[in-house]
């Protein structure tokens, strides 16, 4: 296990303290921080305006994370790219780069694996391996920026993992990502998606951030939700809605509800009416996601006529909604599939 301090996870203030503690001038911290978070250096060697002696000292004292792309898949349909990155300990995570009219968006992972156990999701099938460090979340964006040669303007924490199950690291990551001396991505362009860990949602509401919170709802009764998502056994829909109201009150930011449509499971008109009743009072945006079937489960996506009828019902109740445009369908669409395939291939001799 790596024992050295993970330098890329330090705030500018912490880095300044660290380096002045070594007898360095404060401006060295600013230079180093800029190399890491603006120039996206992949190691101390690249930091050519720092003396060789100082770089040598840094190499001894600090761990410097950088991801290796082990696989890149590009969609022929829409140019979406999916990256499989190897971490320093050999674990792999996936990130997705999408090009939209309003800018480039990266979907990142927050954990290696996941322990939430949602029944339709591939990322959770092997449980949680470990949390990602703040630096390892940043690195996904930095690596994608370097590999595409284009600036990232939107970040969604919607890949593998439950971000609120890795709360401290997530918060450090958001502060570094949106820091004016770093990449300086606007907080409003950062979305965190949660399966609904109520204490985490409430805590996030009090952080003074302007990020968007997305709640993976997927069912409008506790009974149905518990069948799809084990986390629903710990928090009721009522508690979730109260936490959403609190988030809105504290931040003024509207919540997005994510709702994966599963054929014959949660896609009736009654489900739509229930969803409208929850979303309406909170002024939520609803994002409908036709479920991506995974081979380990027998869920199917709703028929397209059913999806349209579901959407019509939401429209009738004046609920702001979108059907998630599918991107990269030809390149292992559903979350966690690419990583899983890779890990399984390595396991089979
Ligand atoms: N743990 C977080 C973020 C990761 S999942 C969360 O639960 O929100 C990102 C979104 O994709 C969630 O809404 C999740 O429920 C959904 N999802 C996962 N697997 C899916 C699949 N096979 N088909 C459709 N949506 C899926």
């Amino acid at each position: 296990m790596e024992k050295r301090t993970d330098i890329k996870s330090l705030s500018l203030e912490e880095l300044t303290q660290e380096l002045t503690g070594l007898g360095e001038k404060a401006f060295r911290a600013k230079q180093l921080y800029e190399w890491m978070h603006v120039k996206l250096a992949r190691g101390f060697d690249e930091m050519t305006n720092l003396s060789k002696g100082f770089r040598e000292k840094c190499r001894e004292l600090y761990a410097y994370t950088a991801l290796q792309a082990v696989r890149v898949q590009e969609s022929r349909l829409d140019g979406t790219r999916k990256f499989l990155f190897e971490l320093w300990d050999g674990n792999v995570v996936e990130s997705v780069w999408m090009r939209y009219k309003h800018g480039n968006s990266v979907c990142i992972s927050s954990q290696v694996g996941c322990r939430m156990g949602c029944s339709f999701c591939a990322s959770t099938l092997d449980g949680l391996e470990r949390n990602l460090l703040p630096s390892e979340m940043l690195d996904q964006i930095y690596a994608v920026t370097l590999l595409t040669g284009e600036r990232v303007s939107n970040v969604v924490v919607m890949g593998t993992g439950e971000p609120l199950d890795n709360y401290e690291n997530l918060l450090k990551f958001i502060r570094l990502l949106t820091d004016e001396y770093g990449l300086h991505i606007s907080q409003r362009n950062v979305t965190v998606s949660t399966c609904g860990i109520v204490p985490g949602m409430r805590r996030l509401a009090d952080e003074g951030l302007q990020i968007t919170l997305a709640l993976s709802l997927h069912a409008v009764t506790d009974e149905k939700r518990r069948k799809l998502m084990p986390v629903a056994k710990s928090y009721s829909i009522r508690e979730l809605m109260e936490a959403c109201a609190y988030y809105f009150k504290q931040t003024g930011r509207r919540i997005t509800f994510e709702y994966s449509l599963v054929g014959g499971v949660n896609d009736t008109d009654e489900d739509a009416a229930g969803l409208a009743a929850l979303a309406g009072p909170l002024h939520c945006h609803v994002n409908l996601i036709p479920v991506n079937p995974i081979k380990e489960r027998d869920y199917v996506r709703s028929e397209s006529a059913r999806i349209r009828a579901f959407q019509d019902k939401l429209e009738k109740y004046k609920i702001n909604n979108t059907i998630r445009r599918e991107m990269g369908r030809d390149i292992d669409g559903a979350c966690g599939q690419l990583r899983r395939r890779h890990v399984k291939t390595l396991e089979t001799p």
Side-chain angles (χ1 to χ4, degrees):
M1 192 61 192
E2 178 64 74
K3 288 275 189 296
R4 293 171 300 173
T5 302
D6 171 23
I7 194 163
K8 222 188 266 180
S9 291
L10 300 178
S11 66
L12 179 55
E13 205 185 325
E14 289 166 338
L15 185 66
T16 308
Q17 261 177 15
E18 179 75 34
L19 295 190
T20 48
L22 296 178
E24 294 291 335
K25 298 252 170 26
F27 77 91
R28 287 274 172 245
K30 194 84 178 284
Q31 285 179 317
L32 192 49
Y33 192 86
E34 195 178 41
W35 274 112
M36 293 192 285
H37 301 290
V38 181
K39 298 180 186 163
L40 312 184
R42 293 184 45 85
F44 293 114
D45 294 346
E46 291 180 24
M47 306 180 182
T48 43
N49 64 349
L50 303 177
S51 75
K52 271 213 166 110
F54 179 60
R55 280 185 271 159
E56 195 50 52
K57 190 151 89 181
C58 287
R59 241 194 316 273
E60 276 166 32
L61 294 173
Y62 306 114
Y64 197 98
T65 58
L67 303 178
Q68 297 299 330
V70 288
R71 237 181 117 177
V72 184
Q73 293 186 327
E74 180 164 352
S75 167
R76 280 192 216 109
L77 305 173
D78 52 38
T80 294
R81 284 184 225 174
K82 197 153 193 174
F83 298 88
L84 193 69
F85 290 119
E86 186 172 311
L87 307 167
W88 59 273
D89 61 357
N91 274 306
V92 289
V93 289
E94 51 185 275
S95 321
V96 185
W97 180 79
M98 290 156 287
R99 193 186 257 138
Y100 291 103
K101 277 197 251 24
H102 59 265
N104 299 321
S105 192
V106 177
C107 172
I108 65 151
S109 297
S110 56
Q111 296 179 314
V112 182
C114 181
R115 62 189 180 120
M116 294 297 132
C118 298
S119 62
F120 45 82
C121 179
S123 298
T124 199
L125 290 166
D126 297 317
L128 175 68
E129 186 67 41
R130 72 168 173 88
N131 282 328
L132 290 184
L133 300 165
S135 56
E136 292 170 324
M137 291 184 244
L138 288 170
D139 279 340
Q140 294 173 62
I141 297 148
Y142 296 178
V144 167
T145 303
L146 292 171
L147 289 165
T148 59
E150 292 187 29
R151 186 177 159 84
V152 167
S153 54
N154 291 271
V155 172
V156 294
V157 189
M158 258 188 211
T160 296
E162 168 48 45
L164 301 186
D165 188 37
N166 184 16
Y167 192 93
E168 305 287 344
N169 288 349
L170 175 81
L171 257 284
K172 280 193 186 153
F173 156 73
I174 294 171
R175 295 204 195 280
L176 287 163
L177 180 70
T178 59
D179 180 32
E180 60 176 321
Y181 297 112
L183 265 199
H184 199 190
I185 290 185
S186 161
Q187 286 185 6
R188 289 169 175 266
N189 293 351
V190 176
T191 298
V192 169
S193 176
T194 179
C195 63
I197 298 180
V198 166
M201 292 165 71
R202 288 185 169 270
R203 196 171 159 198
L204 194 61
D206 290 330
E207 298 282 358
L209 294 172
Q210 280 292 298
I211 60 170
T212 300
L213 181 63
L215 169 66
S216 298
L217 193 58
H218 306 323
V220 295
T221 64
D222 285 323
E223 194 194 350
K224 207 177 265 188
R225 197 163 187 269
R226 283 182 200 129
K227 283 191 190 140
L228 293 171
M229 309 174 74
V231 69
K233 292 175 189 148
S234 305
Y235 309 106
S236 67
I237 289 180
R238 199 190 148 143
E239 288 170 298
L240 277 178
M241 295 307 118
E242 284 166 4
C244 286
Y246 184 70
Y247 190 88
F248 183 57
K249 182 173 130 256
Q250 295 300 91
T251 63
R253 304 284 296 158
R254 289 187 183 185
I255 309 253
T256 298
F257 283 168
E258 285 160 279
Y259 195 94
S260 295
L261 286 162
V262 189
V265 173
N266 62 358
D267 62 349
T268 63
D269 280 355
E270 204 185 341
D271 291 311
L275 182 55
L278 295 175
L282 292 165
H283 311 290
C284 290
H285 180 92
V286 172
N287 197 2
L288 298 171
I289 318 167
V291 80
N292 247 313
I294 57 173
K295 69 174 188 311
E296 291 80 0
R297 301 279 185 273
D298 49 12
Y299 291 123
V300 293
R301 60 175 50 198
S302 308
E303 305 278 337
S304 45
R306 182 86 299 272
I307 298 177
R308 267 196 306 277
F310 195 95
Q311 195 178 25
D312 285 348
K313 195 85 181 168
L314 292 181
E315 300 279 339
K316 209 183 106 197
Y317 289 106
K318 307 225 168 354
I319 303 299
N320 198 323
N321 71 86
T322 40
I323 296 187
R324 184 180 293 173
R325 200 170 100 210
E326 254 191 297
M327 314 250 318
R329 181 117 198 247
D330 51 335
I331 50 166
D332 293 302
C335 320
Q337 284 187 349
L338 180 60
R339 166 172 176 264
R340 204 173 145 73
R341 184 165 307 169
H342 178 80
V343 172
K344 289 285 163 221
T345 319
L346 292 184
E347 277 168 7
T348 358

